[in-house]
Amino acid sequence: LHIVTQIAQALKSAHQASIIHRDLKPENIFLISKRGDPDFVKVLDFGLASVYGSDPDQAKLTQAGFVVGTPGYVAPELLAGGDYDERADIYALGVVLWECITGDRLWTAESPMHTLLRQLKMVAWLLSLHLQKRFRKPWAHIDLALSMG
């Protein structure tokens, strides 16, 4: 929880400055030792970041028909043509948290395009079924993580 809390705080700071990361994924989260904390989080690679707020067109796709971000971490509503805002980063953080808890990728397929399609088609109850199959007591791992935090 210490690491995820720091990521959330970094995103909150960016969002307060009207910046959306748009490509949050494990590869853009680095841990360093700083101020006596061996797990100090640095959220990197704001190369796809966008400033939003004053111009409504800035929240839209960078180019018509193209989605910005990494398959598996892009919010499904963006794949369906929705606008980018801070919720896109929060969704990506949820995917990262899922992967930390389960040790598995949330969205996998044989190609990036199939990953995007799976994200659009899969429904929440299938995720619940996956949890039930993966863990006999689905919340035991979350309770364990919380007790360590």
Side-chain angles (χ1 to χ4, degrees):
L1 283 177
H2 174 63
I3 292 170
V4 173
T5 299
Q6 291 180 78
I7 299 166
Q9 289 170 339
L11 291 175
K12 181 179 178 183
S13 293
H15 296 161
Q16 288 173 336
S18 298
I19 298 169
I20 309 167
H21 189 284
R22 300 197 312 176
D23 197 27
L24 187 70
K25 57 187 174 183
E27 293 87 345
N28 291 337
I29 300 166
F30 279 59
L31 300 179
I32 64 169
S33 182
K34 185 174 181 178
R35 294 186 219 135
D37 184 352
D39 294 324
F40 186 87
V41 170
K42 291 278 195 175
V43 176
L44 304 178
D45 193 0
F46 280 77
L48 296 178
S50 175
V51 177
Y52 68 95
S54 59
D55 182 358
D57 289 335
Q58 287 183 351
K60 297 199 180 305
L61 302 175
T62 301
Q63 183 176 350
F66 291 92
V67 174
V68 176
T70 301
Y73 299 92
V74 177
E77 59 271 19
L78 301 176
L79 300 175
D83 293 341
Y84 280 91
D85 62 23
E86 58 274 328
R87 292 173 294 180
D89 288 342
I90 295 167
Y91 174 85
L93 177 58
V95 174
V96 170
L97 179 58
W98 166 279
E99 292 176 357
C100 289
I101 292 170
T102 66
D104 291 328
R105 292 230 181 244
L106 177 56
W107 303 108
T108 57
E110 55 274 8
S111 72
M113 181 56 72
H114 284 102
T115 300
L116 295 172
L117 291 171
R118 180 168 286 169
Q119 283 183 261
L120 280 172
K121 292 180 180 180
M122 190 174 237
V123 293
W125 68 268
L126 288 175
L127 294 176
S128 175
L129 182 62
H130 172 76
L131 273 176
Q132 291 172 16
K133 286 182 180 179
R134 172 107 167 111
F135 307 113
R136 291 183 190 267
K137 296 180 182 175
W139 301 111
H141 288 79
I142 293 171
D143 291 339
L144 176 63
L146 290 173
S147 70
M148 297 169 65

